[in-house]
Each structure stands twice: as structure tokens, then as C-alpha cells.
Amino acid sequence: MPRRAPGRLCERMHVPFNLAAHIDAALKSAATATGFDAAAFSPDVRAADPRHGDYQANGVLAYAKREKQNPRAAAEKLLAALPDSLREQFDTAIAGPGFINFTLKPAALLAWLQAYRDASALSAGAATTYAGQTWVVDYSSPNTAKQMHVGHLRSAVIGEAICRLLAFSGAKVIRDNHLGDWGTQFGKLIYGYKRWVDHEALKREPIEELERLYKLGNDATPEGSPELDEARRELVKLQSGDPESVALWQKFSDVSLAAFQQIYDRLGIRFDYNLGESFYNDKVERVYRELTETGIAETSNDALVVFHDEHPRFKRDAERPNPFMVRKADGASGYASTDLATALYRVEHFNAHGIVIVTDFRQSDHFEQLFLTVKKWFAKKGYRLPELHHVTFGAVTGEDGKALKTRDGGTIKLKALLDEAEERALAVVTAKNAERPEAERFSENECRDIARAVGIGAVQYADLSQNRSSNYVFSWDKMLALEGNTAPYLLYAVARVHSIFRRGQLGIPGSDTLADLEKNATPPETPTELSLARKLVHFSDALALATSNLRPHFLCLYLYELAGEFSAFYAAEKVIVDDVATRARRVLLCARTLLTLETGLNLLGLRTLQRM
């Protein structure tokens, strides 16, 4: 009978998904009730060192010092005012001069695990964060008529993960591929196309043929040559709407998008819109007019520019003034023109509450000036200003620390990189498969499917597991290793949990049969059970950290640590035991580990496997 009491308590205990936010709200309410200056008090709740508890509130110390109060006495007053519902869930203690530690009770751990039993429950718990908000995420953004290369990898992979994190947290996410599909290069491409196109090659390998034609056109039109004048006339015809030129440009765009989508399919990416620079070509005049009318832009050396005199690098008397060029001296638009038009379109057409643009760090100055200009422009015109985020990332280098290149010094094409990832993974999978008992070996098709998930996942995860602000070293050996913070290690952890359910004939995770078994679970008891349960509860913290900072590597680190906790649990505890309650709680821990690993890896854009 005593063992069932915690179960009955769990059934009536409501444990919110995000416990840090739950504690934060309770402390703010307690602060108001005890006479704290509510406007000046921030609980500062965060995940704690596991040795001290699950969560720690650090804000009491700063508040007490500011108010000239005894911090420990202030902490005691807060604890006394906490609601009984929180006391049911947590053991509390005051540490040092006023830090408050919160440790989830075993019954509360069980209640959380039983409440968030599938992906929809997890998503419903997380969805309150960005509910009702629309976020536009601008990522990948290759130039049309050119192959995607390794430099496009980070924007695509990071951008997709951010989209999934925001959507899981309740946002309506609009994926926008802001293509480089306009500008002077198309005059040279049309020039080359009309002279040297190989129609058979265009059918067979269209994007490669367009790239070849552009190179021929570029080489044939040196500065000052009659050929360059001819290429410029081709560009003028295109910009003037000449039907033949527009039809060719549309053909180039269609061919390019089809080739890009083959890469995106392999990475699990789909865009809602492919609104390139060309889409905004007829929208820049409004930008020029409004920036001039409001006095934000001015004419300098015949160009329309914006000086940000409040900024040390961008003001007009800086050592190297670098104004934001809205319109060039010859009247042509540029990146600034279309990017400003893009920002306005996303607010007016998509009603964006947030805009995320994912590019490498070398474009930081451009986007800093863009955001400064947008803020001034929108304020003057009374337009609603969304959150603006430029998500930057470092370079991918070889193991020699230099830019990643082919053996002959060329740029590595992204298609070739993904092909090699799959082939290398296939070699590993084939070798491991040969070691399996003959009756359990995978077929050749199964090996290739596993290699596809492992190879592509290894490339994606190697990128995402790094702090995006840093450069990272591309190493096949490290990213395909079955140990360490790698995709193969995590994918294998998922497959291993699936094997527990198959061998134990426990039913499919998430099924009604398994749910009935989980109802018999008692709160975790052993050290490894408790440690794993606590790690599972902290999924909400990792999700919040990764999403609010737009840094997927926080989620990667959490998943790696979770897999480690599960490994320790599985090594210490037998899952399939005779005692019904013990078996139920250990099966519950296995099921929630599987759910969390699969959910987390899906949020990162990886495909998981049931067998590996």
C-alpha cells in the first residue's frame, strides 16, 4: 500500500512543461505578497548544478543588496510565501547568502513523465512560448545558375533547425529562400547562353551547364571590351522586360530551383517561399521615396545613402566612413535596396513578429546597418517593428585550418559532399553488418537506407553541435564516429532503445498497450533512475535555451548528455523484471528517453532509425 500512495499523488499533481518558468512565476507572486518591489525583483531561475538540485533562483541576492536587505532573510520570506502546490513538487533549500535551490520530488518527476508522454504533449507544453506569433526565417539563399557549395551548408542546416525550434515552441514559421536571382551576372549568362549552350547537357546536368555558360560569358567579357558592352545590353533588355530575355531568366530560375530542391530533399528542407531579389525589384522606389521624405537618407556623391552618426564605425566622420548605400550613383539598386523592401514586405504581407536572417559573419556590417535603418524608418512612418535577428556563423575549415577545398583547390560542391557522406557511412554500415549473425543482417537496400540517414545526419549534426559563432573543423573520422557527441552515437542510442521494446515485446512506444503498463509506474527510486528522470525533465530548459538564443548547439549538448545518462541507467538497471511497478517505471524511463531523443533529433532536422 505505501508504494501506491505516490502514484495517487502523481495523478492529481499538475506539473507544467517548463518548470523554470513555473518557479519564476511562483517567486514573483510570492515577492508581491511579501512586500518586495515587484518591478525591481527578477528571480533569475535557471537549471542548477545537479549536486545542488534541479533549479536555482539567483535573483534574491542582487535584489537584497540593492534594497539593503539581508539576502538570506529575504529568501526565507519568499519561501514561506510559496504556494502549497509548489511545495508538493519541490524540496527547497537556501544556500550560501541567499540562493534558493529547488529539487523535484520523485512523485513530481513521475507526474511530469506521465504528463508529457508523446510528441504532441511535448509540443503543446512548449507552444505557449511563441503562441500567436509569426516568424519569417530567411536562410540558405544561394545564387541561381550556380551550384550550391559547402559554404551554403551552414545557413541551410542552422536555418532549418531554427525553423523547427520556433515552430515547436508555438510560432507560425514562414521559411523564405531569399535567392540571389537578379543583377549584372545575368547579362553575362545570357551572353554565354546564346553563344555556347549545349542543349543536351542542359537537359542532363542543367545547373552544371548554366555554371559553365556563366564562366564562359564572364571570361569573354573583360572590362572595357565590346563584348562586355554587349553583355550589358543583354542585362538592360532583361531589366526592361524584353520577353525573350525574361523567358531565359525564368528558365534559369526554374532549372536552378529544381537542382537546389534535390539538395534540400536530402537535408529534409522545404521552403514556403522562394522570394529572391527579383521579387523586390518593383518595390524599391517606395523605399527611396520614404527614406528621403523622412530625412533618413541623403544624397552623397550622387548615391542615396544613410549615415548612422550614432555608430562609431558608420558615422560620416569615422576614420573609414561606410554609409549604407540605398541607391547607387548610377541609379541602380543593390542589396541594401532590396533588403529594405524585403523587411517592409515581411511585416506588411506576412505580419511578421520576428525576422531571422541566417548568413555567415562576413555580412555582419551590412545587416547591422540594415537593422539600424529599418528601426529609424519604421519609427518615422509608424510601422510596427518586429524582432530582428541576424544569425551569423563561422567558417568550415579543413583539418589544416584552411578553407575546405577539393584536392585541385576548387570549391567543394554540396552535392558531392553529401554523396561522399553517404558512401563513407555505407562503408562503416557494411563492415558492421558483416559482424552481425547472418539471420540478423540487413539487406543491401537496408544498409543504404541506414547509410543515408547516418551520413547526412553526421554532416548536419557536426555543424549544429558547434557554437554557430565559431569556425569548425570538418573531419570525416570525428563526425562518423560511434562515440562522442556525434550523430551516429545518438542515432545508435535511439536504435538501442527501440531494440529494448522489440526484445521485451513491450509494444510500440506511444501505443495504448504501453500506456496501460506505464500507469503502474511508481516514482523513480535508484540513483540512476532519478538521474535519468531529472535529465528528461530538463528537456524544456534545453529547448528554451536553444530557441531563445537561436543556437541549436544547446539542444545538441543536452541530447548527448541524455544519451549518456541513459547508458548509465541501462548499465545499472535491468528493465524487464518480474516486479510490475519496477518494470513499469523503467519501461517508462526508456519510453521517455526514446521520445525525447527522437523529438530532439527531429528538431535538429535529422532522421532517426529503429534499427542500426
Side-chain angles (χ1 to χ4, degrees), residues 6-7 10 105-115 518 521-524 585 588:
C10 296
K105 295 180 179 179
L109 288 169
L110 177 59
W112 194 96
L113 295 173
Q114 290 182 325
E518 291 171 1
T522 52
R585 73 167 180 266
L588 174 68

Side-chain angles (χ1 to χ4, degrees), residues 67-337:
E67 299 295 317
K68 294 182 171 50
Q69 295 180 12
N70 181 305
R72 196 171 181 89
E76 289 171 350
K77 285 174 64 178
L78 279 179
L79 282 182
L82 288 175
D84 290 340
S85 59
L86 201 74
R87 296 177 185 281
E88 270 191 353
Q89 297 164 358
F90 293 94
D91 288 318
T92 58
I94 299 172
F99 303 113
I100 306 176
N101 292 328
F102 295 82
T103 303
L104 275 160
K105 295 180 179 179
L109 288 169
L110 177 59
W112 194 96
L113 295 173
Q114 290 182 325
Y116 301 100
R117 63 180 300 268
D118 54 32
S120 61
L122 289 176
S123 182
T128 56
T129 312
Y130 291 90
Q133 297 185 29
T134 297
W135 283 66
V136 177
V137 183
D138 170 342
Y139 63 113
S140 189
S141 307
N143 292 323
T144 57
K146 294 182 180 179
Q147 295 186 70
M148 292 176 72
H149 55 77
V150 68
H152 293 109
L153 176 66
R154 299 209 76 182
S155 178
V157 169
I158 293 169
E160 179 62 22
I162 287 172
C163 287
R164 295 183 182 213
L165 287 166
L166 286 168
F168 193 79
S169 299
K172 175 186 176 183
V173 174
I174 295 173
R175 293 162 162 87
D176 189 6
N177 197 3
H178 191 77
L179 299 165
D181 65 350
W182 201 247
T184 57
Q185 72 267 29
F186 286 96
K188 295 181 179 181
L189 177 57
I190 293 173
Y191 179 92
Y193 180 91
K194 288 183 174 180
R195 285 159 179 79
W196 301 296
V197 64
D198 180 335
H199 290 287
E200 287 302 315
L202 193 63
K203 290 179 183 177
R204 189 175 60 253
E205 295 182 314
I207 195 72
E208 290 85 348
E209 175 64 3
L210 291 182
E211 200 166 50
R212 183 184 75 86
L213 293 172
Y214 172 74
K215 189 175 186 306
L216 288 172
N218 188 57
D219 292 345
T221 55
E223 196 65 39
S225 67
E227 290 80 6
L228 180 59
D229 292 336
E230 177 63 23
R232 285 172 173 162
R233 284 193 288 273
E234 294 287 6
L235 178 62
V236 170
K237 286 166 62 180
L238 172 63
Q239 292 176 334
S240 301
D242 172 69
E244 181 187 7
S245 301
V246 171
L248 278 177
W249 173 84
Q250 188 62 57
K251 183 175 185 176
F252 300 156
S253 295
D254 292 344
V255 161
S256 300
L257 279 173
F260 296 157
Q261 192 57 54
Q262 291 179 8
I263 299 290
Y264 295 140
D265 286 344
R266 297 173 76 176
L267 295 171
I269 295 173
R270 288 278 175 186
F271 286 98
D272 299 303
Y273 296 92
N274 292 287
L275 301 181
E277 294 164 18
S278 62
F279 180 79
Y280 299 98
N281 193 49
D282 63 352
K283 298 173 177 58
V284 295
E285 288 298 329
R286 178 182 172 186
V287 174
Y288 304 152
R289 183 180 69 254
E290 292 191 2
L291 289 182
T292 302
E293 290 172 352
T294 55
I296 295 169
E298 61 187 77
T299 301
S300 176
N301 296 325
D302 296 326
L304 187 65
V305 303
V306 177
F307 286 101
H308 295 288
D309 288 323
E310 75 282 6
H311 196 287
R313 290 201 315 281
F314 306 142
K315 61 185 179 181
R316 69 193 71 222
D317 59 350
E319 185 176 335
R320 295 174 62 188
N322 182 26
F324 195 51
M325 189 174 295
V326 178
R327 185 179 61 212
K328 298 176 184 178
D330 62 3
S333 62
Y335 291 130
S337 322

Side-chain angles (χ1 to χ4, degrees), residues 1-11 519-523 580-581:
M1 180 66 77
R3 290 172 63 85
R4 302 307 300 162
R8 289 198 297 273
L9 176 62
C10 296
E11 289 173 9
K519 289 177 183 177
N520 294 313
T522 52
V580 174

Side-chain angles (χ1 to χ4, degrees), residues 529-566:
E529 288 174 358
L530 287 163
S531 185
L532 178 56
R534 294 187 192 288
K535 196 66 183 179
L536 287 164
V537 165
H538 283 292
F539 171 66
S540 63
D541 304 308
L543 177 67
L545 193 61
T547 308
S548 63
N549 290 280
L550 303 175
R551 292 184 183 274
H553 79 278
F554 287 122
L555 179 57
C556 295
L557 178 60
Y558 166 81
L559 295 175
Y560 173 57
E561 291 175 347
L562 173 61
E565 290 286 359
F566 178 78

